[in-house]
């Protein structure tokens, strides 16, 4: 099969690597995530098929768990999906039962207050620590989307010290005919600390600072083909730090506080899972099988080492910010899991990113894409022939048997002066 390879832009190839020694606790954490989910949400016995994916972004790990009924002929399997984070909270839930949807008129059988109470009871039993941040006056029942809709969403807005907090929220969708909870989605932040509103400067002072940094400008605005004079802020995106009065720098603050912002105590322990329910849940045969699969996955350190040691790439100048273990559904795959590593540049003056897809059990490389953008005078200036030799060397070194079946079909660019990257195709 022919493969397209683009040096410095995109590479799709295959690589064989001697397996590294495995030393990871991913299987233990997955086990705790399963027990945590089952201690909070009942999984019916007929949902006997289990699979999982593991995601790590900026130090936060979440476990995507899926239980499904057996796939029988002419029957759509039902499934339950639950996401558990490394703090032991349920962040999403979905129970896909296609029999609950209908084209018939379905006016809600219950009042908004009844839907609200059902959502509260369910959410606070699943994540009890969230209750204090979701007051009654910040809960709204948005109403069914139409007369044939079978669901109604109840939206919770997070409040801290009487103020909306970081756009955190939770939505519980309920069946309008039975009051069954069908799905739940959330955005929830775990700050290391929450400043008190009394630390903020006076509103009048903030208003003055804002106008100094973003004065109003006069311009014309087209309204129904009429030129209307309007005043608009010169910089409508400016944000003032309420404690210092300085312009808020999102990038610098995010880089220095990414780990702190994702903090929170790690509740993913066997003790916390056991304490959540009087009768501790037990692992099924399908769940144990999946845990055994995860036990054989290469840990972050070794996957990162493989990616960073790819020659003639800029990955070593980038920072790993995301690692996802994704389970493959195809039976034709040589192993069950893929690892997706995402690197990015933490220097605000330079843009750079890279994706590396590896076999999570063997380290075999399936896909690589790296792009960096530097100032013109800092770019490496190489000829097309040099770049082509680099590409050929790369694919011969890592392409294995696939490299023997392809040939170069690349041609030099027409206008060399405007080229920043060379594309080589095999």
């Amino acid at each position: 099969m022919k493969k397209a390879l683009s040096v410095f832009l995109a590479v799709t190839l295959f690589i064989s690597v001697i397996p590294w020694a495995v030393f990871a606790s991913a299987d233990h954490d997955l086990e705790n995530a399963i027990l945590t989910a089952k201690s909070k949400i009942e999984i019916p016995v007929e949902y006997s098929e289990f699979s999982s994916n593991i995601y790590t972004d900026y130090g936060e790990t979440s476990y995507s768990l899926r239980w499904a009924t057996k796939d029988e002929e002419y029957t759509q399997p039902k499934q339950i999906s639950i996401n558990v984070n490394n703090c032991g909270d349920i962040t999403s839930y979905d129970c896909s039962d296609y029999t609950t949807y209908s084209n018939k008129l379905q006016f809600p059988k219950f009042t908004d207050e009844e839907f609200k109470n059902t959502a509260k009871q369910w959410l606070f039993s699943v994540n009890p620590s969230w209750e204090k941040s979701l007051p009654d006056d910040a809960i709204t029942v948005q109403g069914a989307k139409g007369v044939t809709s079978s669901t109604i969403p109840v939206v919770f807005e997070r409040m801290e010290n009487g103020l909306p907090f970081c756009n955190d929220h939770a939505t519980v969708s309920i069946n309008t005919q039975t009051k069954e909870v069908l799905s739940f989605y959330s955005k929830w932040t775990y700050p290391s600390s929450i400043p008190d509103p009394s630390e903020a400067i006076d509103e009048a002072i903030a208003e003055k600072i804002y106008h100094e940094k973003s004065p109003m400008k006069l311009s014309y605005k087209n309204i129904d083909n009429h030129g209307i004079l309007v005043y608009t802020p010169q910089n409508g995106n400016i944000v003032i730090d309420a404690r210092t009065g300085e312009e808020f720098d999102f990038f610098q603050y995010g880089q220095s506080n990414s780990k702190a912002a994702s903090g929170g105590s790690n509740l993913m322990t066997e003790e916390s899972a056991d304490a959540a329910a009087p009768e501790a849940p037990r692992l099924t045969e399908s769940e144990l099988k999946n845990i055994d699969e995860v036990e054989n996955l290469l840990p972050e350190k070794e996957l990162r080492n493989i990616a960073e040691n790819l020659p003639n790439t800029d990955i070593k100048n980038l920072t790993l910010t995301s690692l996802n273990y994704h389970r493959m559904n195809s039976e034709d795959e040589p192993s069950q899991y893929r690892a997706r590593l995402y690197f990015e540049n933490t220097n605000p003056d330079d843009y750079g990113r890279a994706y590396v897809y590896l076999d999570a059990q063997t380290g075999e490389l399936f896909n690589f894409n790296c792009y960096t953008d530097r100032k013109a005078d800092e770019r490496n200036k190489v000829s097309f022939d040099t770049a082509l030799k680099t590409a050929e060397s790369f694919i011969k070194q890592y392409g294995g048997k696939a490299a023997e079946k392809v040939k170069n079909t690349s041609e030099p660019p027409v206008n060399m002066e405007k080229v920043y990257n060379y594309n080589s195709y095999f």
Side-chain angles (χ1 to χ4, degrees):
M1 182 182 294
K2 292 185 178 180
K3 298 288 181 180
L5 182 151
S6 172
V7 178
F8 306 122
L9 276 179
V11 178
T12 305
L13 42 69
F14 292 91
I15 177 177
S16 295
V17 179
I18 297 175
W20 297 73
V22 177
F23 181 75
S25 60
D27 58 323
H28 180 74
D29 292 337
L30 175 60
E31 177 181 343
N32 288 331
I34 296 170
L35 293 174
T36 296
K38 293 176 69 173
S39 70
K40 297 182 176 184
I41 298 175
E42 182 180 359
I43 308 297
V45 177
E46 61 267 25
Y47 289 76
S48 57
E49 303 300 304
F50 178 78
S51 62
S52 68
N53 296 314
I54 304 173
Y55 304 96
T56 300
D57 294 289
Y58 296 96
E60 291 187 42
T61 300
S62 62
Y63 303 83
S64 177
L65 314 175
R66 176 182 175 271
W67 291 265
T69 57
K70 289 186 177 181
D71 189 2
E72 300 179 1
E73 190 175 6
Y74 307 117
T75 303
Q76 177 71 45
K78 300 177 183 179
Q79 67 178 35
I80 294 175
S81 300
I82 300 176
N83 270 43
V84 184
N85 64 16
N86 58 347
C87 292
D89 288 333
I90 304 295
T91 57
S92 71
Y93 163 78
D94 185 79
C95 178
S96 298
D97 184 351
Y98 299 98
T99 62
T100 60
Y101 298 94
S102 172
N103 292 325
K104 298 179 181 179
L105 294 178
Q106 296 192 87
F107 294 103
K109 290 185 176 180
F110 308 94
T111 66
D112 284 359
E113 192 64 24
E114 287 176 304
F115 286 124
K116 179 179 177 180
N117 290 334
T118 298
K120 286 172 55 180
Q121 182 179 0
W122 186 90
L123 179 56
F124 298 154
S125 67
V126 168
N127 295 330
S129 64
W130 291 16
E131 183 173 2
K132 62 181 181 299
S133 300
L134 300 171
D136 267 12
D137 56 2
I139 305 174
T140 57
V141 181
Q142 294 191 344
K145 295 181 179 179
V147 292
T148 61
S149 176
S150 62
T151 61
I152 190 167
V154 180
V155 180
F156 298 72
E157 182 182 13
R158 182 179 180 180
M159 306 291 288
E160 300 291 349
N161 299 315
L163 301 174
F165 189 79
C166 299
N167 197 33
D168 284 1
H169 59 275
T171 300
V172 178
S173 294
I174 302 174
N175 187 297
T176 59
Q177 308 302 301
T178 65
K179 287 200 301 183
E180 177 190 2
V181 173
L182 299 177
S183 65
F184 155 67
Y185 300 97
S186 67
K187 173 187 175 297
W188 202 264
T189 309
Y190 296 87
S192 56
S193 62
I194 300 177
D196 191 273
S198 62
E199 300 178 25
I201 60 177
D202 187 76
E203 182 179 343
I205 297 176
E207 183 178 354
K208 180 180 179 181
I209 295 172
Y210 180 89
H211 285 296
E212 289 176 352
K213 293 183 177 292
S214 181
M216 303 297 287
K217 64 177 181 180
L218 185 64
S219 62
Y220 287 99
K221 189 175 182 67
N222 183 5
I223 304 295
D224 295 331
N225 209 29
H226 293 284
I228 307 299
L229 279 171
V230 296
Y231 277 107
T232 57
Q234 186 171 326
N235 181 5
N237 295 322
I238 191 172
V239 176
I240 304 300
D241 189 311
R243 291 195 290 181
T244 66
E246 300 293 331
E247 182 176 350
F248 188 78
D249 190 328
F250 287 94
F251 184 86
Q252 289 186 1
Y253 189 87
Q255 292 299 324
S256 61
N257 291 273
S258 58
K259 290 185 178 180
S262 65
S265 58
N266 190 340
L267 304 180
M268 194 64 68
T269 62
E270 292 178 351
E271 291 76 8
S272 64
D274 292 340
E279 296 182 5
R282 296 182 179 181
L283 297 171
T284 65
E285 181 178 344
S286 180
E287 292 163 354
L288 289 170
K289 179 181 177 182
N290 188 249
I291 292 171
D292 288 339
E293 292 173 356
V294 172
E295 184 179 9
N296 295 320
L297 303 184
L298 296 174
E300 175 185 322
K301 181 179 180 181
E302 293 166 13
L303 291 169
R304 179 177 179 177
N305 186 64
I306 293 172
E308 290 181 344
N309 279 283
L310 292 174
N312 298 310
T313 71
D314 284 336
I315 291 183
K316 281 192 175 181
N317 298 320
L318 305 176
T319 301
L320 178 67
T321 58
S322 174
L323 169 60
N324 300 333
Y325 293 98
H326 178 70
R327 192 176 193 276
M328 309 301 292
N329 294 323
S330 174
E331 295 181 357
D332 298 329
E333 297 296 333
S335 58
Q336 293 288 350
Y337 278 84
R338 293 284 182 272
R340 174 187 177 275
L341 292 85
Y342 175 64
F343 297 79
E344 61 182 340
N345 202 324
T346 57
N347 184 350
D349 296 328
D350 290 326
Y351 174 79
R353 63 183 179 185
Y355 297 90
V356 182
Y357 292 85
L358 301 169
D359 186 304
Q361 291 175 291
T362 66
E364 183 181 359
L365 177 64
F366 287 95
N367 186 277
F368 161 68
N369 180 293
C370 181
Y371 178 77
T372 56
D373 185 18
R374 297 188 180 87
K375 298 175 183 178
D377 58 349
E378 295 179 354
R379 293 191 179 100
N380 293 326
K381 298 178 180 179
V382 298
S383 66
F384 174 76
D385 290 338
T386 301
L388 181 58
K389 289 180 180 179
T390 300
E392 291 175 338
S393 174
F394 198 97
I395 198 168
K396 286 180 180 178
Q397 184 176 356
Y398 296 111
K401 293 182 179 180
E404 301 173 0
K405 301 178 182 180
V406 298
K407 65 178 181 178
N408 175 39
T409 60
S410 307
E411 295 182 0
V414 177
N415 189 344
M416 298 291 289
E417 294 182 357
K418 295 185 177 181
V419 171
Y420 295 133
N421 302 282
Y422 300 110
N423 297 334
S424 297
Y425 300 97
F426 293 82

